[in-house]
């Protein structure tokens, strides 16, 4: 078994040169004018960047605190850690990084770099639990199966499995956080939607139709494959 340092290191979440903090822009006046719809969309994006810069240290510390708790007490995180250990790699708070991300995503996994959590996009322990579990499923799939990084069907399959098994598509999360009120086939619809969106963000995927086609081609086998769980955990 390899030690924890063998887990690939996540890429830095910041760009080479961080944007300069504009204290004259990041004010209550700007905030309320954005709420009132008196500023263009690009000003909202700039305000969010300034917010992330101002709160970077606090966001990362909060993320790291929740992450430590989850590795100690979360049943799903502890289970996934044990299963990944069986494949020769240890995942723990020292090699899962909480960073400020510059894109609107909650986390990521890269075959060569590892697991990243976007501290500025994760507000609660529950969100962090769902996200780290999602990325741990990706890591498990890369270690357990003959994963071909150039095969888009392999990526579609692991996106389906990660959304299914992480808990991010359970009904309460969809209903209260995302406003999705459909009950019939709710889990399947959520997994399809999130897996398709993830695939669409890949540069080698042509468009929405191509992304949906890739998900559909592997749907039956990948949605029903709950390994390493006996069944969908939550």
């Amino acid at each position: 078994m390899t030690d924890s340092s063998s887990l690939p290191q996540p890429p830095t979440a910041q760009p080479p040169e961080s944007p300069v903090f504009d204290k004259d822009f990041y004010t209550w006046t700007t905030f309320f004018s954005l709420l009132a719809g008196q500023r263009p969309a690009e000003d909202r994006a700039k305000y969010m960047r300034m917010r992330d810069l101002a709160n970077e240290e606090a966001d990362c510390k909060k993320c790291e605190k929740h992450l430590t708790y989850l590795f100690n007490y979360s049943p799903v995180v502890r289970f996934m850690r044990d299963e990944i250990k069986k494949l020769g790699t240890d995942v723990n708070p020292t090699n899962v990084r909480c960073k400020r991300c510059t894109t609107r995503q909650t986390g990521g996994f890269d075959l060569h770099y590892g697991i990243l959590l976007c501290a500025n996009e994760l507000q609660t322990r529950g969100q962090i639990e769902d996200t780290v579990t999602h990325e741990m499923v990706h890591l498990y799939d890369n270690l357990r199966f003959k994963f071909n990084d150039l095969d888009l069907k392999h990526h579609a399959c692991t996106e389906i499995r990660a959304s299914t098994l992480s808990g991010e598509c359970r009904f309460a999360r969809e209903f209260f956080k995302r406003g999705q009120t459909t009950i019939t086939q709710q889990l399947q619809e959520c997994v399809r939607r999130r897996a398709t969106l993830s695939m669409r963000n890949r540069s080698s995927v042509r468009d929405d139709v191509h992304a949906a086609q890739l998900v559909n081609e592997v749907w039956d086998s990948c949605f029903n494959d709950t390994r390493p769980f006996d069944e969908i955990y939550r």
Side-chain angles (χ1 to χ4, degrees), residues 10 19 42 74 80 83 85 112 127 150 167 173 194 227:
E42 54 266 28
S74 166
M80 285 302 303
E83 292 300 313
K85 275 185 177 180
H112 304 291
Q127 290 176 321
L150 299 178
R173 181 75 71 198
R194 294 179 68 81
R227 288 176 290 179

Side-chain angles (χ1 to χ4, degrees), residues 117-165:
L117 298 181
C118 297
N120 52 317
E121 297 294 332
L122 296 165
Q123 304 302 316
T124 69
R125 183 184 295 160
Q127 290 176 321
I128 294 173
E129 183 178 41
D130 289 350
T131 302
V132 73
T133 305
H134 181 112
E135 305 308 334
M136 290 172 85
V137 172
H138 287 324
L139 175 58
Y140 175 89
D141 285 357
N142 275 269
L143 295 172
R144 174 66 176 79
F145 307 113
K146 295 181 179 179
F147 194 94
N148 182 352
D149 195 42
L150 299 178
D151 191 328
L152 290 175
K153 290 184 180 179
H154 286 196
H155 286 286
C157 187
T158 193
E159 291 296 348
I160 291 169
R161 283 173 36 77
S163 290
T164 302
L165 300 174

Side-chain angles (χ1 to χ4, degrees), residues 17-206:
E17 295 184 3
S18 296
V20 177
F21 182 77
D22 186 347
K23 65 180 181 180
D24 294 326
F25 182 84
Y26 186 67
T27 64
W28 283 111
T29 301
T30 303
F31 175 74
F32 285 119
S33 63
L34 286 169
L35 281 182
Q38 298 172 351
R39 287 178 176 265
E42 54 266 28
D43 277 2
R44 176 177 174 79
K46 180 180 177 181
Y47 185 87
M48 298 299 287
R49 290 196 299 272
M50 295 304 105
R51 183 205 65 177
D52 291 345
L53 282 170
N55 298 330
E56 180 173 4
E57 183 177 359
D59 286 343
C60 289
K61 285 183 177 179
K62 181 175 70 173
C63 174
E64 290 164 359
K65 180 180 178 180
H66 287 321
L67 192 62
T68 298
Y69 177 93
L70 292 170
F71 272 100
N72 284 326
Y73 302 110
S74 166
V76 65
V77 173
R78 287 165 58 93
F79 175 79
M80 285 302 303
R81 181 184 183 184
D82 288 342
E83 292 300 313
I84 290 170
K85 275 185 177 180
K86 295 175 183 178
L87 301 176
T89 297
D90 185 25
V91 185
N92 59 68
T94 69
N95 51 35
V96 179
R97 302 290 190 267
C98 293
K99 297 288 186 179
R100 172 178 60 84
C101 294
T102 57
T103 54
R104 303 264 76 96
Q105 65 187 81
T106 57
F109 170 78
D110 185 276
L111 181 61
H112 304 291
Y113 296 104
I115 294 176
L116 168 71
L117 298 181
C118 297
N120 52 317
E121 297 294 332
L122 296 165
Q123 304 302 316
T124 69
R125 183 184 295 160
Q127 290 176 321
I128 294 173
E129 183 178 41
D130 289 350
T131 302
V132 73
T133 305
H134 181 112
E135 305 308 334
M136 290 172 85
V137 172
H138 287 324
L139 175 58
Y140 175 89
D141 285 357
N142 275 269
L143 295 172
R144 174 66 176 79
F145 307 113
K146 295 181 179 179
F147 194 94
N148 182 352
D149 195 42
L150 299 178
D151 191 328
L152 290 175
K153 290 184 180 179
H154 286 196
H155 286 286
C157 187
T158 193
E159 291 296 348
I160 291 169
R161 283 173 36 77
S163 290
T164 302
L165 300 174
S166 65
E168 64 192 24
C169 277
R170 61 188 178 276
F171 179 75
R173 181 75 71 198
E174 282 285 275
F175 184 86
F176 292 108
K177 296 296 184 181
R178 306 186 186 113
Q180 301 294 327
T181 58
T182 302
I183 296 177
T184 304
Q185 299 292 304
Q186 174 272 327
L187 174 63
Q188 290 90 331
E189 289 180 10
C190 172
V191 171
R192 281 186 184 277
R193 184 180 73 251
R194 294 179 68 81
T196 301
L197 285 172
S198 294
M199 291 303 296
R200 182 64 185 91
N201 289 331
R202 294 189 172 275
S203 59
S204 51
V205 174
R206 297 187 299 273

